[in-house]
Amino acid sequence: IQEGKKPLYAVVFNFLDSRFFNVFVTAGGNKITLYNCLEDGAISALQSYSDEDKEESFYTVSWACGVKGNPFVAAGGVKGIIRVIDVNNETIHKSLVGHGDSVNEIRTQPLKPQLVITASKDESVRLWNVETGICILIFAGAGGHRYEVLSVDFHPTEIYRFASCGMDTTIKIWSMKEFWTYVEKSYTWKDDPSKFPTKFVQFPVFTASVHTNYVDCNRWFGDFILSKSVDNEILLWEPQLKENSPGEGTSDVLQRYPVPMSDIWFIKFSCDFQLSSLAIGNQEGKIYVWDLKSCPPVLITKLSHNQSKCVIRQTALSVDGSTILAACEDGTIWRWDVITK
């Protein structure tokens, strides 16, 4: 379907709430749109939000949720402001202000979906509580990124841990463990959010250099990390941290997943809920689907269509992996479905 003329940078299924597993959200221009994937293969629009600032261009969007379980969508982009939209009543719940430049990615903590992390062009990562609007922690400084931060991801089971990567070619693993009291305090803070004692975290527990160029997407795969640079491949590697000396360690590359014609930055891959497959688009409008359970790597399929010629900025796999969506530079959304014989 053609959403508009503006490039679409993000498309994300809701993995947080089983009532909405078929619902997805897109971001592009100053618009955020929610859709439903219907069983007959169609897509229906549910609601749309246009930012009052016509100059806004959303690059990223993530599902989150309030303390009472109400669904939120958090979006950010060129203006550096994160809009938290309460989907139930179609209003802005909070506007999170703090980043000094554009927001490149937002990710939600799956075990505590009121917490989101944001990666910014201002060289920092921030942790927010979307329920209260508080900026809890800022990850930047002496040991932080030296250039735009392009991607972040929470560890799937260790609630304190996340990874970030960016234009400085590094991937950093951070721990929030010793600052968790700040996280807890963010839920009960009654004063003005701007008066919250936001804590700076300057040093990651690990820095890896497995790529030689911009790293624009990283995702945890258990304790391993999948990361993508502009070198036409995704790497699966194992960070081996040294227990006694924080920041140090080694990284062993385990597998490589080639992705031809993807040597421009800001192309993001996605996985299904079980992490059994991975989908990534390229700059020619093709999608490569890799089996993450097999070693050596197995390409499940390559999806192409004679009308899909444009850069695919992000894919989204449904919870069970049976549907793949693509958000494209020409404002189109493509839906692919597994055919079960």
Side-chain angles (χ1 to χ4, degrees):
I1 60 170
Q2 181 79 42
E3 183 178 296
K5 292 282 178 271
K6 296 271 175 71
L8 289 176
Y9 286 110
V11 56
V12 188
F13 271 107
N14 186 335
F15 281 8
L16 295 176
D17 191 326
S18 57
R19 294 174 298 173
F20 309 120
F21 277 172
N22 292 327
V23 178
F24 68 93
V25 60
T26 61
N30 68 333
K31 267 181 73 173
I32 299 296
T33 311
L34 275 70
Y35 295 93
N36 199 2
C37 264
L38 304 175
E39 301 223 341
D40 62 0
I43 293 171
S44 68
L46 296 173
Q47 54 179 266
S48 183
Y49 160 80
S50 292
D51 198 87
E52 58 204 19
D53 188 339
K54 297 279 190 292
E55 302 296 304
E56 178 64 276
S57 176
F58 288 118
Y59 297 152
T60 179
V61 64
S62 186
W63 292 92
C65 128
V67 173
K68 295 190 173 79
N70 43 324
F72 288 158
V73 163
V78 72
K79 293 291 177 180
I81 297 166
I82 295 131
R83 302 287 189 194
V84 182
I85 300 154
D86 186 325
V87 174
N88 278 355
N89 54 22
E90 301 191 33
T91 57
I92 291 188
H93 171 72
K94 293 279 188 246
S95 291
L96 310 178
V97 181
H99 276 300
D101 215 320
S102 49
V103 174
N104 290 319
E105 189 158 69
I106 303 172
R107 298 285 284 174
T108 302
Q109 165 51 259
L111 307 170
K112 262 198 185 308
Q114 296 79 43
L115 301 178
V116 301
I117 37 174
T118 54
S120 173
K121 187 176 179 177
D122 69 9
E123 303 185 0
S124 78
V125 173
R126 288 176 179 241
L127 176 74
W128 308 81
N129 184 322
V130 293
E131 176 72 44
T132 55
I134 284 169
C135 178
I136 308 167
L137 301 169
I138 300 173
F139 302 85
H145 285 285
R146 286 282 169 270
Y147 209 174
E148 287 198 43
V149 192
L150 298 177
S151 184
V152 280
D153 193 39
F154 281 107
H155 191 284
T157 54
E158 284 185 49
I159 198 164
Y160 310 118
R161 188 160 285 209
F162 71 87
S164 63
C165 64
M167 283 191 176
D168 62 5
T169 76
T170 68
I171 299 152
K172 294 177 184 288
I173 297 174
W174 303 82
S175 174
M176 302 181 278
K177 195 165 191 174
E178 57 190 284
F179 311 105
W180 201 250
T181 51
Y182 290 84
V183 174
E184 287 163 349
K185 193 184 287 184
S186 74
Y187 281 87
T188 54
W189 187 257
K190 293 288 184 280
D191 205 346
D192 188 328
S194 65
K195 292 182 177 161
F196 186 83
T198 302
K199 177 84 176 151
F200 266 89
V201 182
Q202 295 205 51
F203 294 97
V205 292
F206 183 72
T207 297
S209 299
V210 293
H211 299 278
T212 56
N213 211 321
Y214 295 170
V215 192
D216 58 3
C217 192
N218 66 200
R219 299 286 181 260
W220 289 95
F221 181 64
D223 289 328
F224 302 146
I225 291 179
L226 288 156
S227 60
K228 177 199 154 279
S229 180
V230 290
D231 304 321
N232 295 313
E233 64 178 359
I234 296 167
L235 301 182
L236 174 67
W237 54 280
E238 181 181 13
Q240 295 181 320
L241 285 63
K242 281 189 180 163
E243 288 302 317
N244 312 335
S245 46
E248 290 183 32
T250 55
S251 4
D252 289 342
V253 175
L254 306 172
Q255 304 222 93
R256 296 171 186 271
Y257 302 89
V259 188
M261 292 301 294
S262 62
D263 57 355
I264 58 170
W265 68 285
F266 221 84
I267 290 181
K268 295 182 185 280
F269 61 84
S270 63
C271 305
D272 64 311
F273 188 71
Q274 300 291 340
L275 296 174
S276 52
S277 50
L278 172 156
I280 180 165
N282 72 0
Q283 60 214 65
E284 296 183 318
K286 296 183 172 66
I287 298 172
Y288 290 78
V289 187
W290 288 95
D291 182 355
L292 290 173
K293 297 286 193 230
S294 57
C295 175
V298 171
L299 183 66
I300 298 171
T301 184
K302 183 172 87 175
L303 305 172
S304 62
H305 189 280
N306 58 10
Q307 287 174 314
S308 175
K309 297 273 184 251
C310 198
V311 179
I312 296 172
R313 287 295 180 183
Q314 190 170 27
T315 59
L317 275 142
S318 60
V319 165
D320 63 0
S322 64
T323 298
I324 295 175
L325 302 172
C328 304
E329 187 97 331
D330 60 1
T332 57
I333 302 163
W334 288 76
R335 171 178 176 175
W336 298 84
D337 288 282
V338 169
I339 297 169
T340 46
K341 292 192 170 58

